[in-house]
Amino acid sequence: MKVSISKLKYLKDNFISLEQKNPGFKMKTKLITLLVLLLYSLNFSQEGFSSFYERNDFLLASPGAMKYGLYGYDNPAQLTYVDNFDLMFALSNRYNKLSELKNWGLFAAISNVGFGVLHNRIGSYTINDYKLSLAAGDRNFSFGIGYGWSTGNKNIFKRTDIITLGTLIRPMKHLSVGLTGTSSTTINSKEIYADIAVRPLGNEIVSVFGDFYYRNKPLPGIKTTSWSLGFSVEVLSGLILTAKRNFETEISSAGISLGLGNVGFTFQEYKNDKGNEGEVNGIDYRTFAIRVGGYERNLASAIFPPKNYLEMNMKEGIKYQNYKFFDNSSTLLSVIQQINAAKDDPTIKGIAINTSGFNTNKEFVWEIRERLREFKQMGKKVIVFIDNPDLTIYHLASVADKIVMDPLGQLNILGYLMGRTFYKNALDMLGVGIDELRFFKYKSAAESFSREQMSEADKEQRQKLIDNNYELARKDICEGRNFSPEQFDNYVNNYGILLANTALENKLVDTLARWDAVPDIIKNLEGTERSLVGAGSIEKFKLPKDNYWGEPDRIAIIYALGECAMDQGITARRLVKDVEAAGNDPLVKAIVLRVDSPGGDGMASDYIAEALKKIKKTKPVIVSQGTVAASGGYWLSMYADTIVAAPNTTTGSIGVISMWAYNKGLKEKIGLSTDYVKRGDHADLFFGMTLPFVGLSLPDRPLTEDERGRYEWSINNMYKDFVGKVSNGRNLTLEYVDSIGQGRVWSGKDGKQLKLVDVIGGLDDAIKIAKQKAGIQPDEEVNLVQYPEMALFNFDFLQPKIFGFETKADESMEFLKFRLENAGKPMPVLPLDDCGSYK
């Protein structure tokens, strides 16, 4: 004869009850009674697996109300919220004496996969229930499937295999709805369990939950329906109190969960209000559990937060996006996020930055410095180590409470310079002719090829940029180091290059030491030792997903980097698809376009601008301008709701230019000749020799007067179109745009005064504005999704080497090739020298 686990539990409870009422029973009498009860139990027509409540009595709350439930053992759909490997071991004295913890459970999970085993001991009999669960979906909607089976004493237990299907719906941060259905594969036994939880505050602090259970056939002592209510309160970070009551069984429970980072503990007591005679102090049974694995909120850190310093090493430099694998370099966004998270983390007392080997641009430095300045406003400290900095890196360091300089280092504060290389004479010697098709005063993109020195107009606009950059650095450095402007000018003009001792004597730095001495310097500054920790120790980056239900709103960050071209640089043909994808994604509430581009092909710029203009009708579009967002780069920006630029961004340059490069003896010098037949008066316009090894074609002849006139007409018409679009996008008159246009570049600071820019700020400020315009609260969690998607890894290591040296493509040469390939084409573009690194 075989019985189900539920029947045996029912027998056990009844047997204990008889024994308590008749303590004089002898063993023989007990055995006879047990046999009678066993025979009596066989009269029940129903057989099947144990109820949901019996299988999951280690739960402190309904599965969807708190953390991850039992890692898929209860509702397999819960597994979509698991980030890291987690393992929980639980004990219970259910069906045994209060002093005997004979029942246990072991539950483990990684993302979307879970496994659990439940061991029950009832008298001298045991049974093991196993379940393997899988899940798929996202944080709004997920579903899962679990397969369970049992093993035990073959003479007593009948194996029952079960299938569980589950779903978890969290359409908003306040609501969680779960539904599971369980069915036996061997007998006609089914159950449905539904739970609902509400977070009034939209976070983990308070949850109110309820559940409902239905079974198609009753179990001994268990009704076909049951329901319960409860709540959980996180009174301190990591300390959760729970209570629940089943109104059918009249069983109540109270529990506590204690989180200590990567370790956690739970304890729970169950009480039957019917007052069983076997209770001790009114308690039916207890459960205990210990969890290890992924990080959860830490009570110890909340009460006694450690005071660490975040260590930031800038040697690898900063760029915009990482490859998915084998790329340890920092990105601008990740650096900003680390500083912001450290600012709000009570365990981070300060930041120590190592700038040795750090090389970046002025705009990046300003953005990072602004975030560090905000960090200091929270009463936290910043220490910066330097060894051979230029003025740009010293500008960053000047925000620090302590600047530490290598004893053998050298401080190079020579000022700022913008220069150009001119190729006219070289091209004349080679036999290449250049015709500069320039019709606007400040549009100087072709000067490097057509002149021997800067035009007065170019000198004027470049000097203004240099003055703004210098004054910005001077202002910030004087504020950070308590210098007067005259002192700063003296250091730049009369010193320029300072050895470490001289820098210390003049209070440009605070102490001389190597990076490895920084912990001792921090100790002296703080009066106690502080540990240096990485960004992985910041709690925000370790928190589990259970602190937020559902998918947070998204802000799309789209990078438009490099020259404006269809299939290189910004790759407009591909990027426009990313823009449209972000625009069509209902979870994306706003778009931030980060522009770092000197311009190029007007068509490529317009592809993106028009796509953004269309999206702007349904969601906010914010542009964040980086190092340079001028000419075609400004074309990308002009339709935004808000344009954000750093004070040292290069912006504007509303203008169009072209040039014509042609053979002026080079073909003959290198022994080449060409010939052709044609039909059409101008069919030979672009015909010429193809330069060996370079792959560029050089037209055979200069433009005719008629052809040059046609180009002038095209350039002027494109300029009018450009001015008209800016006028429309910025709500300015045509006359005003023309007056600040003519190809002139402006700093971000001047651009704001001229209404080309709306806000002085960086990428972080643009994200904040995007949230505000999308109606998202400042402290609300959002997902930042970045486009375009990066490749798996950098394929540069596959580049050939010559004599052991890598042959990497130089970005300036790539831009030069782009310009020559588009010779004669009207383009909103900056000079070659303004083509920096945009990756």
Side-chain angles (χ1 to χ4, degrees):
M1 61 182 71
K2 297 181 180 180
V3 298
S4 70
I5 180 65
S6 297
K7 285 184 179 180
L8 192 56
K9 291 175 183 176
Y10 179 75
L11 289 173
K12 175 69 176 177
D13 291 341
N14 279 275
F15 181 75
I16 290 174
S17 178
L18 286 173
E19 185 184 64
Q20 290 166 347
K21 292 177 180 178
N22 302 279
F25 272 10
K26 300 298 182 181
M27 179 60 67
K28 182 177 180 181
T29 306
K30 292 182 179 182
L31 292 174
I32 292 173
T33 304
L34 178 61
L35 179 60
V36 172
L37 289 173
L38 179 61
L39 293 172
Y40 167 75
S41 71
L42 293 177
N43 291 325
F44 285 98
S45 60
Q46 65 279 3
E47 287 189 4
F49 49 89
S50 55
S51 74
F52 181 93
Y53 294 111
E54 291 177 303
R55 297 195 308 274
N56 298 285
D57 57 7
F58 294 119
L59 283 170
L60 270 68
S62 299
M66 181 176 164
K67 298 185 180 179
Y68 314 116
L70 290 181
Y71 304 98
Y73 195 87
D74 42 10
N75 183 351
Q78 295 269 151
L79 292 168
T80 55
Y81 272 72
V82 179
D83 273 331
N84 302 293
F85 175 76
D86 247 33
L87 179 69
M88 185 175 80
F89 179 70
L91 291 167
S92 168
N93 61 353
R94 187 180 178 109
Y95 312 119
N96 297 284
K97 295 179 180 179
L98 287 175
S99 59
E100 297 177 345
L101 297 172
K102 295 183 179 179
N103 305 317
W104 55 264
L106 183 66
F107 310 96
I110 57 175
S111 182
N112 298 316
V113 181
F115 178 77
V117 55
L118 193 63
H119 173 89
N120 283 304
R121 183 179 177 90
I122 308 173
S124 59
Y125 303 106
T126 62
I127 185 169
N128 294 316
D129 292 321
Y130 303 89
K131 182 179 282 188
L132 176 65
S133 303
L134 302 173
D138 57 28
R139 294 169 66 177
N140 275 348
F141 175 81
S142 59
F143 59 91
I145 182 171
Y147 174 72
W149 68 98
S150 59
T151 61
N153 189 305
K154 295 182 179 179
N155 295 321
I156 298 296
F157 296 102
K158 179 179 180 179
R159 172 172 173 142
T160 303
D161 293 358
I162 62 173
I163 296 292
T164 298
L165 298 178
T167 185
L168 184 66
I169 304 170
R170 288 175 171 171
M172 61 183 72
K173 64 181 180 179
H174 299 283
L175 179 65
S176 174
V177 179
L179 181 66
T180 61
T182 302
S183 176
S184 171
T185 62
T186 55
I187 54 178
N188 182 24
S189 186
K190 299 178 177 62
E191 71 175 14
I192 295 175
Y193 175 86
D195 68 279
I196 183 170
V198 175
R199 285 180 168 177
L201 304 179
N203 56 32
E204 72 281 0
I205 295 176
V206 178
S207 297
V208 180
F209 56 85
D211 52 46
F212 175 80
Y213 165 84
Y214 168 77
R215 192 180 184 98
N216 66 330
K217 291 183 179 180
L219 292 172
I222 300 176
K223 297 180 179 181
T224 57
T225 62
S226 183
W227 63 283
S228 66
L229 295 174
F231 67 88
S232 68
V233 179
E234 190 156 353
V235 293
L236 288 172
S237 182
L239 178 62
I240 305 174
L241 303 180
T242 67
K244 61 182 178 180
R245 176 175 175 79
N246 189 304
F247 290 89
E248 292 293 337
T249 63
E250 299 185 27
I251 294 176
S252 302
S253 68
I256 183 171
S257 173
L258 178 62
L260 296 172
N262 298 103
V263 179
F265 303 91
T266 64
F267 170 74
Q268 187 172 204
E269 287 189 340
Y270 285 85
K271 182 180 184 304
N272 190 334
D273 291 348
K274 294 178 180 179
N276 291 339
E277 295 183 33
E279 296 175 1
V280 177
N281 296 325
I283 304 301
D284 278 331
Y285 65 97
R286 300 184 175 97
T287 67
F288 308 84
I290 181 173
R291 182 205 66 86
V292 295
Y295 185 88
E296 64 180 16
R297 291 174 290 279
N298 192 332
L299 177 62
S301 294
I303 299 175
F304 307 106
K307 302 297 184 182
N308 302 318
Y309 266 61
L310 173 64
E311 179 181 358
M312 301 183 72
N313 194 321
M314 300 295 195
K315 183 180 179 181
E316 297 296 329
I318 299 176
K319 55 187 182 180
Y320 279 117
Q321 290 181 279
N322 286 118
Y323 294 98
K324 293 183 178 180
F325 300 104
F326 313 115
D327 189 349
N328 296 322
S329 53
S330 299
T331 66
L332 177 63
L333 182 61
S334 68
V335 170
I336 290 171
Q337 289 177 322
Q338 288 173 27
I339 296 172
N340 288 342
K343 178 184 68 175
D344 299 328
D345 194 321
T347 70
I348 300 297
K349 183 72 174 177
I351 295 177
I353 302 175
N354 185 354
T355 67
S356 180
F358 184 38
N359 182 30
T360 191
N361 62 68
K362 301 177 187 66
E363 197 277 336
F364 276 18
V365 159
W366 182 83
E367 288 202 47
I368 296 168
R369 193 182 190 281
E370 286 296 291
R371 302 290 79 80
L372 290 171
R373 187 176 58 81
E374 292 174 356
F375 177 86
K376 287 181 61 180
Q377 291 173 353
M378 300 296 292
K380 302 186 178 188
K381 304 295 184 182
V382 174
I383 292 178
V384 176
F385 172 79
I386 58 176
D387 50 16
N388 293 295
D390 59 8
L391 182 54
T392 297
I393 301 302
Y394 186 73
H395 183 196
L396 172 65
S398 66
V399 76
D401 296 279
K402 292 287 183 182
I403 300 179
V404 182
M405 186 173 182
D406 191 287
L408 296 180
Q410 179 175 290
L411 179 58
N412 304 298
I413 49 173
L414 301 168
Y416 289 131
L417 175 146
M418 290 183 73
R420 303 183 67 170
T421 300
F422 294 88
Y423 304 98
K424 181 181 185 304
N425 291 334
L427 293 172
D428 286 343
M429 292 174 61
L430 288 171
V432 176
I434 298 291
D435 186 359
E436 182 183 20
L437 302 175
R438 174 179 180 174
F439 307 105
F440 305 104
K441 180 178 179 180
Y442 296 99
K443 201 62 181 172
S444 59
E447 284 191 6
S448 292
F449 305 100
S450 63
R451 296 172 181 255
E452 298 178 12
Q453 59 186 20
M454 292 183 195
S455 66
E456 290 303 315
D458 197 33
K459 283 185 177 181
E460 177 190 344
Q461 62 182 349
R462 287 172 179 266
Q463 187 63 57
K464 182 64 172 174
L465 290 177
I466 285 294
D467 290 344
N468 283 345
N469 289 340
Y470 183 89
E471 289 163 8
L472 174 66
R474 181 174 64 181
K475 172 181 172 293
D476 288 344
I477 291 170
C478 287
E479 288 178 357
R481 301 300 299 172
N482 197 26
F483 294 153
S484 68
E486 293 75 21
Q487 281 180 291
F488 178 80
D489 290 341
N490 179 56
Y491 292 138
V492 172
N493 297 324
N494 296 323
Y495 287 83
I497 298 175
L498 299 91
L499 295 179
N501 286 327
T502 306
L504 181 63
E505 291 169 2
N506 287 276
K507 299 182 180 181
L508 288 159
V509 301
D510 298 294
T511 188
L512 304 183
R514 294 268 158 84
W515 171 252
D516 56 13
V518 166
D520 293 331
I521 295 170
I522 294 174
K523 181 179 179 181
N524 292 334
L525 179 65
E526 297 281 352
T528 186
E529 289 188 5
R530 304 294 188 196
S531 298
L532 291 177
V533 299
S537 296
I538 298 176
E539 187 170 60
K540 180 178 180 179
F541 301 143
K542 299 188 296 181
L543 285 176
K545 289 182 178 179
D546 77 295
N547 66 325
Y548 192 100
W549 285 349
E551 285 287 342
D553 290 332
R554 296 174 183 171
I555 302 292
I557 302 177
I558 303 175
Y559 296 100
L561 311 177
E563 66 270 23
C564 294
M566 296 301 293
D567 299 303
Q568 64 191 74
I570 70 168
T571 58
R573 202 184 310 275
R574 182 188 67 179
L575 191 65
V576 72
K577 296 178 181 178
D578 291 330
V579 172
E580 291 168 350
N584 294 330
D585 187 342
L587 288 177
V588 172
K589 304 304 180 182
I591 291 175
V592 174
L593 180 74
R594 176 68 175 201
V595 179
D596 222 325
S597 171
D601 185 353
M603 181 174 66
S605 298
D606 203 56
Y607 259 60
I608 306 304
E610 288 297 322
L612 292 172
K613 184 179 180 181
K614 181 179 179 181
I615 292 169
K616 180 182 171 181
K617 297 175 181 178
T618 58
K619 58 186 66 174
V621 174
I622 313 300
V623 164
S624 169
Q625 296 185 335
T627 304
V628 57
S631 202
Y634 192 80
W635 195 314
L636 293 167
S637 313
M638 59 192 178
Y639 290 135
D641 292 285
T642 305
I643 297 178
V644 182
N648 51 2
T649 292
T650 299
T651 188
S653 191
I654 301 167
V656 181
I657 196 170
S658 188
M659 71 176 188
W660 183 258
Y662 59 94
N663 176 53
K664 198 177 178 181
L666 175 61
K667 179 175 68 172
E668 292 75 18
K669 288 179 181 179
I670 60 176
L672 298 180
S673 62
T674 57
D675 198 2
Y676 60 85
V677 294
K678 71 171 185 175
R679 181 169 177 175
D681 292 344
H682 305 283
D684 63 332
L685 180 60
F686 295 102
F687 176 76
M689 67 172 178
T690 299
L691 294 173
F693 312 113
V694 180
L696 289 175
S697 294
L698 187 65
D700 273 346
R701 65 175 179 83
L703 298 173
T704 66
E705 183 176 341
D706 177 62
E707 289 166 342
R708 201 175 195 281
R710 290 173 183 269
Y711 271 116
E712 180 178 355
W713 181 88
S714 298
I715 292 169
N716 283 323
N717 271 272
M718 179 176 279
Y719 176 71
K720 289 179 181 178
D721 189 33
F722 195 175
V723 168
K725 289 175 180 290
V726 174
S727 171
N728 176 264
R730 301 296 300 164
N731 195 27
L732 302 170
T733 66
L734 293 170
E735 294 75 18
Y736 178 76
V737 175
D738 179 56
S739 70
I740 61 174
Q742 296 292 315
R744 174 146 189 179
V745 293
W746 302 96
S747 68
K749 175 186 174 183
D750 289 339
K752 184 176 186 302
Q753 295 175 347
L754 297 169
K755 300 181 181 179
L756 292 173
V757 170
D758 299 298
V759 176
I760 295 298
L763 180 59
D764 190 52
D765 300 290
I767 294 169
K768 292 176 182 177
I769 293 170
K771 290 177 66 175
Q772 183 264 324
K773 286 188 175 292
I776 302 172
Q777 294 299 314
D779 58 349
E780 188 83 8
E781 179 184 352
V782 294
N783 278 343
L784 300 177
V785 290
Q786 301 182 65
Y787 299 90
E789 186 176 357
M790 289 294 285
L792 293 179
F793 53 88
N794 190 348
F795 289 90
D796 280 353
F797 75 95
L798 297 175
Q799 292 282 347
K801 295 183 179 181
I802 301 175
F803 305 114
F805 296 97
E806 295 185 5
T807 57
K808 292 184 179 180
D810 180 82
E811 291 178 8
S812 295
M813 290 304 298
E814 289 294 316
F815 190 50
L816 172 60
K817 184 178 178 181
F818 168 74
R819 291 285 303 281
L820 293 175
E821 287 174 341
N822 289 275
K825 185 173 184 179
M827 303 183 79
V829 66
L830 285 185
L832 176 65
D833 305 81
D834 294 322
C835 173
S837 178
Y838 308 102
K839 296 180 180 179

